[in-house]
Short mmCIF file of all heavy atoms in Angstrom, two decimals:
data_model
loop_
_atom_site.label_atom_id
_atom_site.label_comp_id
_atom_site.label_asym_id
_atom_site.label_seq_id
_atom_site.Cartn_x
_atom_site.Cartn_y
_atom_site.Cartn_z
N MET A 254 6.00 9.50 0.84
CA MET A 254 4.81 9.76 0.06
C MET A 254 4.41 8.47 -0.65
O MET A 254 5.24 7.82 -1.26
CB MET A 254 5.09 10.89 -0.94
CG MET A 254 3.87 11.32 -1.69
SD MET A 254 4.09 12.74 -2.79
CE MET A 254 4.99 13.88 -1.82
N PRO A 255 3.13 8.10 -0.58
CA PRO A 255 2.70 6.86 -1.22
C PRO A 255 2.74 6.94 -2.75
O PRO A 255 2.66 8.02 -3.32
CB PRO A 255 1.27 6.66 -0.73
CG PRO A 255 0.86 7.95 -0.12
CD PRO A 255 2.07 8.76 0.13
N HIS A 256 2.90 5.80 -3.36
CA HIS A 256 2.82 5.77 -4.82
C HIS A 256 1.58 4.96 -5.22
O HIS A 256 1.18 4.02 -4.54
CB HIS A 256 4.10 5.22 -5.47
CG HIS A 256 4.37 3.79 -5.21
ND1 HIS A 256 5.07 3.37 -4.10
CD2 HIS A 256 4.07 2.67 -5.90
CE1 HIS A 256 5.17 2.05 -4.11
NE2 HIS A 256 4.56 1.61 -5.19
N TYR A 257 0.99 5.37 -6.32
CA TYR A 257 -0.23 4.76 -6.83
C TYR A 257 0.01 4.31 -8.25
O TYR A 257 0.73 4.95 -9.01
CB TYR A 257 -1.38 5.79 -6.79
CG TYR A 257 -1.69 6.26 -5.39
CD1 TYR A 257 -1.10 7.40 -4.86
CD2 TYR A 257 -2.54 5.53 -4.57
CE1 TYR A 257 -1.36 7.82 -3.57
CE2 TYR A 257 -2.80 5.94 -3.27
CZ TYR A 257 -2.21 7.09 -2.79
OH TYR A 257 -2.47 7.49 -1.50
N GLU A 258 -0.59 3.17 -8.60
CA GLU A 258 -0.43 2.61 -9.94
C GLU A 258 -1.69 2.86 -10.74
O GLU A 258 -2.81 2.71 -10.24
CB GLU A 258 -0.15 1.11 -9.83
CG GLU A 258 0.25 0.49 -11.15
CD GLU A 258 0.68 -0.96 -11.00
OE1 GLU A 258 0.41 -1.57 -9.94
OE2 GLU A 258 1.27 -1.49 -11.93
N TYR A 259 -1.51 3.24 -11.99
CA TYR A 259 -2.61 3.56 -12.88
C TYR A 259 -2.45 2.80 -14.19
O TYR A 259 -1.34 2.43 -14.58
CB TYR A 259 -2.63 5.07 -13.20
CG TYR A 259 -2.86 5.93 -12.00
CD1 TYR A 259 -1.79 6.32 -11.19
CD2 TYR A 259 -4.12 6.37 -11.65
CE1 TYR A 259 -1.99 7.11 -10.07
CE2 TYR A 259 -4.33 7.16 -10.54
CZ TYR A 259 -3.26 7.53 -9.75
OH TYR A 259 -3.45 8.32 -8.65
N ARG A 260 -3.56 2.59 -14.89
CA ARG A 260 -3.54 1.99 -16.23
C ARG A 260 -4.23 2.95 -17.17
O ARG A 260 -5.31 3.47 -16.87
CB ARG A 260 -4.22 0.63 -16.26
CG ARG A 260 -4.12 -0.03 -17.65
CD ARG A 260 -4.71 -1.40 -17.75
NE ARG A 260 -6.13 -1.37 -17.48
CZ ARG A 260 -6.75 -2.09 -16.54
NH1 ARG A 260 -6.07 -2.91 -15.78
NH2 ARG A 260 -8.03 -1.99 -16.37
N CYS A 261 -3.63 3.14 -18.33
CA CYS A 261 -4.19 4.00 -19.35
C CYS A 261 -5.14 3.17 -20.21
O CYS A 261 -4.77 2.12 -20.73
CB CYS A 261 -3.08 4.60 -20.21
SG CYS A 261 -3.70 5.64 -21.55
N LYS A 262 -6.38 3.64 -20.34
CA LYS A 262 -7.36 2.92 -21.17
C LYS A 262 -7.08 3.11 -22.65
O LYS A 262 -7.44 2.26 -23.46
CB LYS A 262 -8.77 3.41 -20.85
CG LYS A 262 -9.25 3.02 -19.46
CD LYS A 262 -10.67 3.49 -19.24
CE LYS A 262 -11.19 3.11 -17.87
NZ LYS A 262 -12.58 3.58 -17.69
N ALA A 263 -6.42 4.19 -23.02
CA ALA A 263 -6.15 4.47 -24.43
C ALA A 263 -5.02 3.61 -24.99
O ALA A 263 -5.16 3.01 -26.06
CB ALA A 263 -5.83 5.95 -24.62
N CYS A 264 -3.90 3.53 -24.26
CA CYS A 264 -2.75 2.79 -24.79
C CYS A 264 -2.48 1.48 -24.05
O CYS A 264 -1.64 0.69 -24.48
CB CYS A 264 -1.50 3.67 -24.78
SG CYS A 264 -0.89 4.12 -23.14
N GLY A 265 -3.15 1.25 -22.91
CA GLY A 265 -2.97 0.02 -22.16
C GLY A 265 -1.76 -0.01 -21.26
O GLY A 265 -1.53 -1.00 -20.57
N GLY A 266 -0.98 1.05 -21.24
CA GLY A 266 0.22 1.11 -20.40
C GLY A 266 -0.12 1.32 -18.94
O GLY A 266 -1.18 1.84 -18.60
N THR A 267 0.79 0.89 -18.08
CA THR A 267 0.63 1.15 -16.65
C THR A 267 1.76 2.06 -16.22
O THR A 267 2.86 2.05 -16.78
CB THR A 267 0.66 -0.16 -15.83
OG1 THR A 267 1.88 -0.83 -16.05
CG2 THR A 267 -0.51 -1.07 -16.18
N PHE A 268 1.49 2.85 -15.20
CA PHE A 268 2.48 3.78 -14.69
C PHE A 268 2.18 4.07 -13.23
O PHE A 268 1.09 3.80 -12.74
CB PHE A 268 2.49 5.09 -15.50
CG PHE A 268 1.19 5.83 -15.52
CD1 PHE A 268 0.98 6.91 -14.66
CD2 PHE A 268 0.16 5.47 -16.38
CE1 PHE A 268 -0.22 7.60 -14.65
CE2 PHE A 268 -1.05 6.16 -16.39
CZ PHE A 268 -1.24 7.23 -15.53
N GLU A 269 3.18 4.59 -12.53
CA GLU A 269 3.04 4.91 -11.11
C GLU A 269 3.24 6.40 -10.91
O GLU A 269 4.03 7.04 -11.63
CB GLU A 269 4.07 4.15 -10.28
CG GLU A 269 3.84 2.67 -10.24
CD GLU A 269 4.86 1.95 -9.36
OE1 GLU A 269 5.77 2.62 -8.81
OE2 GLU A 269 4.74 0.74 -9.22
N LEU A 270 2.55 6.94 -9.92
CA LEU A 270 2.72 8.33 -9.53
C LEU A 270 2.91 8.40 -8.03
O LEU A 270 2.23 7.69 -7.28
CB LEU A 270 1.48 9.16 -9.89
CG LEU A 270 1.19 9.42 -11.35
CD1 LEU A 270 -0.10 10.20 -11.51
CD2 LEU A 270 2.34 10.19 -12.00
N ASN A 271 3.84 9.22 -7.58
CA ASN A 271 4.00 9.52 -6.16
C ASN A 271 3.20 10.78 -5.89
O ASN A 271 3.45 11.82 -6.51
CB ASN A 271 5.47 9.75 -5.81
CG ASN A 271 6.29 8.49 -5.92
OD1 ASN A 271 5.79 7.40 -5.64
ND2 ASN A 271 7.52 8.62 -6.33
N ARG A 272 2.24 10.66 -5.01
CA ARG A 272 1.41 11.81 -4.68
C ARG A 272 0.85 11.65 -3.29
O ARG A 272 0.76 10.53 -2.78
CB ARG A 272 0.29 12.00 -5.70
CG ARG A 272 -0.52 10.76 -5.98
CD ARG A 272 -1.72 10.93 -6.89
NE ARG A 272 -1.55 11.82 -7.99
CZ ARG A 272 -2.45 11.99 -8.95
NH1 ARG A 272 -3.57 11.30 -8.94
NH2 ARG A 272 -2.25 12.84 -9.92
N PRO A 273 0.47 12.76 -2.67
CA PRO A 273 -0.11 12.69 -1.32
C PRO A 273 -1.42 11.90 -1.33
O PRO A 273 -2.11 11.85 -2.36
CB PRO A 273 -0.36 14.15 -0.95
CG PRO A 273 0.38 14.97 -1.94
CD PRO A 273 0.59 14.12 -3.15
N MET A 274 -1.76 11.32 -0.20
CA MET A 274 -3.00 10.56 -0.09
C MET A 274 -4.21 11.43 -0.43
O MET A 274 -5.19 10.94 -0.99
CB MET A 274 -3.16 9.97 1.30
CG MET A 274 -2.14 8.89 1.60
SD MET A 274 -2.23 8.34 3.31
CE MET A 274 -3.42 7.01 3.14
N SER A 275 -4.12 12.70 -0.11
CA SER A 275 -5.24 13.61 -0.40
C SER A 275 -5.49 13.77 -1.89
O SER A 275 -6.57 14.19 -2.30
CB SER A 275 -4.99 14.98 0.23
OG SER A 275 -3.81 15.56 -0.31
N GLU A 276 -4.53 13.40 -2.73
CA GLU A 276 -4.67 13.51 -4.19
C GLU A 276 -4.81 12.13 -4.85
O GLU A 276 -4.72 12.02 -6.07
CB GLU A 276 -3.47 14.24 -4.78
CG GLU A 276 -3.35 15.67 -4.33
CD GLU A 276 -2.12 16.35 -4.89
OE1 GLU A 276 -1.56 15.86 -5.90
OE2 GLU A 276 -1.71 17.37 -4.34
N SER A 277 -5.04 11.09 -4.07
CA SER A 277 -5.08 9.74 -4.63
C SER A 277 -6.20 9.55 -5.65
O SER A 277 -6.08 8.73 -6.55
CB SER A 277 -5.20 8.70 -3.53
OG SER A 277 -6.45 8.80 -2.88
N SER A 278 -7.28 10.28 -5.51
CA SER A 278 -8.41 10.13 -6.44
C SER A 278 -8.39 11.17 -7.55
O SER A 278 -9.29 11.16 -8.40
CB SER A 278 -9.73 10.23 -5.67
OG SER A 278 -9.83 9.18 -4.74
N ALA A 279 -7.41 12.05 -7.56
CA ALA A 279 -7.33 13.07 -8.60
C ALA A 279 -7.03 12.41 -9.95
O ALA A 279 -6.38 11.37 -10.00
CB ALA A 279 -6.24 14.08 -8.25
N PRO A 280 -7.50 12.99 -11.05
CA PRO A 280 -7.20 12.44 -12.37
C PRO A 280 -5.70 12.35 -12.62
O PRO A 280 -4.94 13.19 -12.14
CB PRO A 280 -7.85 13.43 -13.33
CG PRO A 280 -8.85 14.19 -12.52
CD PRO A 280 -8.32 14.20 -11.12
N ALA A 281 -5.29 11.33 -13.35
CA ALA A 281 -3.88 11.13 -13.67
C ALA A 281 -3.72 11.03 -15.18
O ALA A 281 -4.54 10.42 -15.85
CB ALA A 281 -3.36 9.87 -13.00
N THR A 282 -2.67 11.64 -15.70
CA THR A 282 -2.38 11.60 -17.12
C THR A 282 -1.21 10.64 -17.34
O THR A 282 -0.21 10.72 -16.63
CB THR A 282 -2.00 13.01 -17.63
OG1 THR A 282 -3.09 13.89 -17.38
CG2 THR A 282 -1.72 12.99 -19.13
N CYS A 283 -1.34 9.74 -18.31
CA CYS A 283 -0.28 8.77 -18.58
C CYS A 283 0.92 9.48 -19.21
O CYS A 283 0.80 10.60 -19.72
CB CYS A 283 -0.79 7.62 -19.44
SG CYS A 283 -0.66 7.82 -21.21
N PRO A 284 2.09 8.84 -19.18
CA PRO A 284 3.30 9.47 -19.74
C PRO A 284 3.17 9.82 -21.22
O PRO A 284 3.87 10.70 -21.71
CB PRO A 284 4.38 8.40 -19.54
CG PRO A 284 3.90 7.59 -18.37
CD PRO A 284 2.41 7.58 -18.48
N ASP A 285 2.24 9.15 -21.94
CA ASP A 285 2.03 9.47 -23.35
C ASP A 285 1.00 10.58 -23.56
O ASP A 285 0.65 10.91 -24.69
CB ASP A 285 1.58 8.22 -24.12
CG ASP A 285 2.70 7.19 -24.22
OD1 ASP A 285 3.89 7.58 -24.23
OD2 ASP A 285 2.39 5.98 -24.28
N GLY A 286 0.48 11.14 -22.46
CA GLY A 286 -0.42 12.28 -22.55
C GLY A 286 -1.90 11.94 -22.56
O GLY A 286 -2.74 12.83 -22.66
N HIS A 287 -2.25 10.66 -22.44
CA HIS A 287 -3.67 10.29 -22.42
C HIS A 287 -4.27 10.57 -21.04
O HIS A 287 -3.61 10.35 -20.03
CB HIS A 287 -3.83 8.81 -22.77
CG HIS A 287 -3.20 8.42 -24.07
ND1 HIS A 287 -2.22 7.47 -24.16
CD2 HIS A 287 -3.41 8.88 -25.33
CE1 HIS A 287 -1.87 7.33 -25.41
NE2 HIS A 287 -2.56 8.19 -26.15
N THR A 288 -5.51 11.00 -21.03
CA THR A 288 -6.14 11.33 -19.76
C THR A 288 -7.17 10.30 -19.31
O THR A 288 -7.68 10.39 -18.21
CB THR A 288 -6.83 12.71 -19.84
OG1 THR A 288 -7.76 12.69 -20.91
CG2 THR A 288 -5.80 13.81 -20.06
N ASP A 289 -7.46 9.31 -20.15
CA ASP A 289 -8.45 8.28 -19.79
C ASP A 289 -7.74 7.16 -19.04
O ASP A 289 -7.33 6.14 -19.61
CB ASP A 289 -9.13 7.75 -21.06
CG ASP A 289 -10.33 6.88 -20.74
OD1 ASP A 289 -10.79 6.87 -19.58
OD2 ASP A 289 -10.81 6.18 -21.67
N THR A 290 -7.56 7.35 -17.73
CA THR A 290 -6.81 6.39 -16.91
C THR A 290 -7.67 5.93 -15.74
O THR A 290 -8.64 6.57 -15.37
CB THR A 290 -5.52 7.02 -16.37
OG1 THR A 290 -5.85 8.14 -15.56
CG2 THR A 290 -4.60 7.44 -17.50
N VAL A 291 -7.26 4.82 -15.16
CA VAL A 291 -7.95 4.26 -14.00
C VAL A 291 -6.90 3.87 -12.96
O VAL A 291 -5.85 3.34 -13.32
CB VAL A 291 -8.85 3.07 -14.40
CG1 VAL A 291 -8.05 1.94 -15.00
CG2 VAL A 291 -9.66 2.60 -13.22
N LYS A 292 -7.19 4.15 -11.70
CA LYS A 292 -6.28 3.78 -10.62
C LYS A 292 -6.45 2.30 -10.33
O LYS A 292 -7.56 1.80 -10.20
CB LYS A 292 -6.56 4.60 -9.36
CG LYS A 292 -5.56 4.34 -8.25
CD LYS A 292 -5.71 5.31 -7.09
CE LYS A 292 -6.92 4.96 -6.28
NZ LYS A 292 -7.00 5.64 -4.99
N LEU A 293 -5.34 1.57 -10.23
CA LEU A 293 -5.37 0.14 -9.96
C LEU A 293 -5.34 -0.11 -8.47
O LEU A 293 -4.78 0.67 -7.71
CB LEU A 293 -4.18 -0.55 -10.64
CG LEU A 293 -4.09 -0.39 -12.15
CD1 LEU A 293 -2.82 -1.05 -12.67
CD2 LEU A 293 -5.32 -0.99 -12.82
N LEU A 294 -5.91 -1.23 -8.08
CA LEU A 294 -5.88 -1.64 -6.68
C LEU A 294 -4.50 -2.22 -6.40
O LEU A 294 -4.07 -3.17 -7.05
CB LEU A 294 -6.97 -2.68 -6.42
CG LEU A 294 -7.00 -3.28 -5.02
CD1 LEU A 294 -7.29 -2.18 -4.00
CD2 LEU A 294 -8.04 -4.35 -4.94
N SER A 295 -3.82 -1.65 -5.47
CA SER A 295 -2.48 -2.13 -5.12
C SER A 295 -2.56 -2.95 -3.85
O SER A 295 -3.36 -2.68 -2.96
CB SER A 295 -1.54 -0.95 -4.88
OG SER A 295 -1.42 -0.19 -6.06
N THR A 296 -1.71 -3.95 -3.78
CA THR A 296 -1.63 -4.76 -2.58
C THR A 296 -0.22 -4.64 -2.01
O THR A 296 0.73 -4.37 -2.72
CB THR A 296 -1.94 -6.24 -2.87
OG1 THR A 296 -1.03 -6.72 -3.85
CG2 THR A 296 -3.36 -6.41 -3.36
N VAL A 297 -0.11 -4.85 -0.75
CA VAL A 297 1.19 -4.77 -0.09
C VAL A 297 1.58 -6.19 0.31
O VAL A 297 0.82 -6.89 0.96
CB VAL A 297 1.10 -3.87 1.16
CG1 VAL A 297 2.42 -3.88 1.91
CG2 VAL A 297 0.70 -2.47 0.77
N ALA A 298 2.76 -6.58 -0.08
CA ALA A 298 3.27 -7.90 0.30
C ALA A 298 4.30 -7.71 1.39
O ALA A 298 5.26 -6.98 1.24
CB ALA A 298 3.90 -8.59 -0.91
N VAL A 299 4.08 -8.38 2.49
CA VAL A 299 5.03 -8.32 3.59
C VAL A 299 5.62 -9.72 3.74
O VAL A 299 4.89 -10.68 3.93
CB VAL A 299 4.33 -7.87 4.89
CG1 VAL A 299 5.32 -7.86 6.04
CG2 VAL A 299 3.67 -6.53 4.71
N THR A 300 6.92 -9.80 3.63
CA THR A 300 7.56 -11.11 3.73
C THR A 300 8.60 -11.07 4.83
O THR A 300 8.96 -10.02 5.34
CB THR A 300 8.25 -11.48 2.41
OG1 THR A 300 9.24 -10.50 2.12
CG2 THR A 300 7.26 -11.58 1.28
N GLY A 301 9.08 -12.22 5.17
CA GLY A 301 10.09 -12.31 6.21
C GLY A 301 9.47 -12.86 7.47
O GLY A 301 8.36 -13.37 7.49
N SER A 302 10.24 -12.79 8.53
CA SER A 302 9.74 -13.28 9.80
C SER A 302 10.18 -12.33 10.89
O SER A 302 11.18 -11.65 10.77
CB SER A 302 10.24 -14.68 10.07
OG SER A 302 11.66 -14.66 10.18
N ALA A 303 9.41 -12.31 11.92
CA ALA A 303 9.74 -11.49 13.07
C ALA A 303 9.85 -12.40 14.28
O ALA A 303 9.02 -13.29 14.48
CB ALA A 303 8.66 -10.44 13.30
N ALA A 304 10.85 -12.19 15.04
CA ALA A 304 11.03 -13.00 16.25
C ALA A 304 10.05 -12.53 17.32
O ALA A 304 9.74 -11.35 17.43
CB ALA A 304 12.45 -12.87 16.75
N ALA A 305 9.57 -13.47 18.09
CA ALA A 305 8.70 -13.12 19.21
C ALA A 305 9.53 -12.40 20.26
O ALA A 305 10.70 -12.69 20.44
CB ALA A 305 8.07 -14.39 19.81
N PRO A 306 8.93 -11.44 20.93
CA PRO A 306 9.69 -10.74 21.97
C PRO A 306 10.16 -11.71 23.06
O PRO A 306 9.45 -12.65 23.42
CB PRO A 306 8.71 -9.72 22.54
CG PRO A 306 7.38 -9.99 21.91
CD PRO A 306 7.57 -10.99 20.83
N ALA A 307 11.33 -11.47 23.55
CA ALA A 307 11.89 -12.35 24.58
C ALA A 307 11.14 -12.16 25.89
O ALA A 307 10.74 -11.06 26.25
CB ALA A 307 13.37 -12.02 24.78
N ARG A 308 10.93 -13.27 26.58
CA ARG A 308 10.28 -13.20 27.89
C ARG A 308 11.33 -12.83 28.93
O ARG A 308 12.46 -13.30 28.86
CB ARG A 308 9.66 -14.53 28.25
CG ARG A 308 8.45 -14.84 27.44
CD ARG A 308 7.78 -16.05 28.01
NE ARG A 308 6.52 -16.27 27.35
CZ ARG A 308 5.74 -17.29 27.59
NH1 ARG A 308 6.10 -18.18 28.50
NH2 ARG A 308 4.61 -17.43 26.97
N PRO A 309 10.94 -12.03 29.88
CA PRO A 309 11.91 -11.71 30.93
C PRO A 309 12.24 -12.96 31.74
O PRO A 309 11.37 -13.80 31.96
CB PRO A 309 11.18 -10.68 31.79
CG PRO A 309 9.75 -10.72 31.39
CD PRO A 309 9.68 -11.35 30.05
N SER A 310 13.48 -13.08 32.12
CA SER A 310 13.86 -14.24 32.91
C SER A 310 13.47 -14.02 34.36
O SER A 310 13.30 -12.91 34.81
CB SER A 310 15.36 -14.48 32.81
OG SER A 310 16.06 -13.35 33.31
N GLY A 311 13.30 -15.07 35.06
CA GLY A 311 12.95 -14.94 36.46
C GLY A 311 11.52 -15.35 36.70
O GLY A 311 10.81 -15.79 35.82
N GLY A 312 11.08 -15.16 37.91
CA GLY A 312 9.80 -15.67 38.40
C GLY A 312 8.60 -15.32 37.55
O GLY A 312 8.58 -14.39 36.78
N GLY A 313 7.63 -16.13 37.72
CA GLY A 313 6.36 -15.83 37.07
C GLY A 313 6.12 -16.70 35.87
O GLY A 313 7.00 -17.17 35.22
N GLY A 314 4.87 -16.83 35.62
CA GLY A 314 4.44 -17.62 34.49
C GLY A 314 4.24 -16.74 33.27
O GLY A 314 4.80 -15.67 33.14
N GLY A 315 3.38 -17.20 32.43
CA GLY A 315 3.24 -16.52 31.17
C GLY A 315 1.92 -15.80 30.97
O GLY A 315 1.36 -15.87 29.90
N GLY A 316 1.41 -15.13 31.89
CA GLY A 316 0.23 -14.30 31.62
C GLY A 316 -1.03 -14.91 32.10
O GLY A 316 -1.17 -15.25 33.27
N GLY A 317 -1.98 -15.07 31.23
CA GLY A 317 -3.29 -15.56 31.63
C GLY A 317 -4.09 -14.43 32.25
O GLY A 317 -3.72 -13.27 32.20
N CYS A 318 -5.18 -14.78 32.90
CA CYS A 318 -6.06 -13.76 33.45
C CYS A 318 -5.44 -13.01 34.62
O CYS A 318 -5.80 -11.87 34.88
CB CYS A 318 -7.38 -14.38 33.88
SG CYS A 318 -7.20 -15.60 35.20
N CYS A 319 -4.51 -13.62 35.32
CA CYS A 319 -3.93 -12.95 36.48
C CYS A 319 -2.47 -12.59 36.27
O CYS A 319 -1.83 -12.05 37.17
CB CYS A 319 -4.11 -13.79 37.74
SG CYS A 319 -3.44 -15.46 37.59
N GLY A 320 -1.92 -12.90 35.12
CA GLY A 320 -0.59 -12.45 34.75
C GLY A 320 0.58 -13.18 35.39
O GLY A 320 1.71 -13.00 34.96
N GLY A 321 0.37 -14.01 36.40
CA GLY A 321 1.51 -14.66 37.04
C GLY A 321 1.40 -16.16 37.11
O GLY A 321 2.20 -16.80 37.76
N GLY A 322 0.39 -16.72 36.51
CA GLY A 322 0.24 -18.15 36.52
C GLY A 322 -0.26 -18.70 37.85
O GLY A 322 -0.10 -19.88 38.12
N CYS A 323 -0.87 -17.84 38.67
CA CYS A 323 -1.32 -18.31 39.97
C CYS A 323 -2.73 -18.88 39.92
O CYS A 323 -3.20 -19.44 40.89
CB CYS A 323 -1.25 -17.18 40.99
SG CYS A 323 -2.26 -15.75 40.54
N CYS A 324 -3.39 -18.74 38.80
CA CYS A 324 -4.75 -19.28 38.68
C CYS A 324 -4.67 -20.81 38.57
O CYS A 324 -3.76 -21.35 37.96
CB CYS A 324 -5.44 -18.72 37.45
SG CYS A 324 -5.62 -16.93 37.48
N GLY A 325 -5.63 -21.48 39.08
CA GLY A 325 -5.61 -22.92 39.08
C GLY A 325 -6.38 -23.47 38.00
O GLY A 325 -6.59 -24.06 37.18
#
């Protein structure tokens, strides 16, 4: 279930809620009971590296329009 971050306009605190995507725009109450809140824009950071898939060994080139390197 996704989590969403909110900021309370009354006390300035931020908090997160886990809720279904279908409820992402529903009003949220801060932990101190204030109802004047706004949903913050969240970003996703993806770090690390992924190895390129290994090429099969044996005949053939590397793709191109004809897939076998036979184009001139």
